[in-house]
Amino acid sequence: MSDHVYKLIDVVGSSAQSSDEAIRNAIETAAKSIKHIEWFEVVETRGHVVDGKVAHFQVTVKIGFRLDSH
């Protein structure tokens, strides 16, 4: 097994449906331009309230991806 080096970035995803969907939006969008995504960690969850109801979810995730060795 080879040694690996990883980089971490923070990405914020949003969704009107759910916090899970906000996470998926963040990961799927990041994966369009970042190779070798290996894991994520939710570090913050926020929301917007309208008329006493949750109207929008916003989730900050740390994304870990493996750097190419060459």
Side-chain angles (χ1 to χ4, degrees):
M1 180 175 182
S2 354
D3 295 333
H4 296 293
V5 174
Y6 297 89
K7 182 167 180 65
L8 295 174
I9 60 168
D10 287 341
V11 177
V12 179
S14 62
S15 170
Q17 311 324 313
S18 68
S19 56
D20 285 352
E21 184 68 20
I23 294 167
R24 286 184 180 87
N25 289 341
I27 299 298
E28 290 170 12
T29 301
K32 292 176 183 176
S33 59
I34 299 170
K35 298 186 299 182
H36 310 301
I37 292 177
E38 303 258 335
W39 55 270
F40 72 92
E41 172 187 0
V42 175
V43 295
E44 187 173 31
T45 303
R46 291 176 300 283
H48 182 225
V49 177
V50 175
D51 296 327
K53 296 182 181 180
V54 175
H56 210 86
F57 299 86
Q58 192 176 55
V59 179
T60 302
V61 294
K62 280 194 180 300
I63 294 177
F65 60 95
R66 185 173 30 87
L67 298 175
D68 287 332
S69 59
H70 24 70

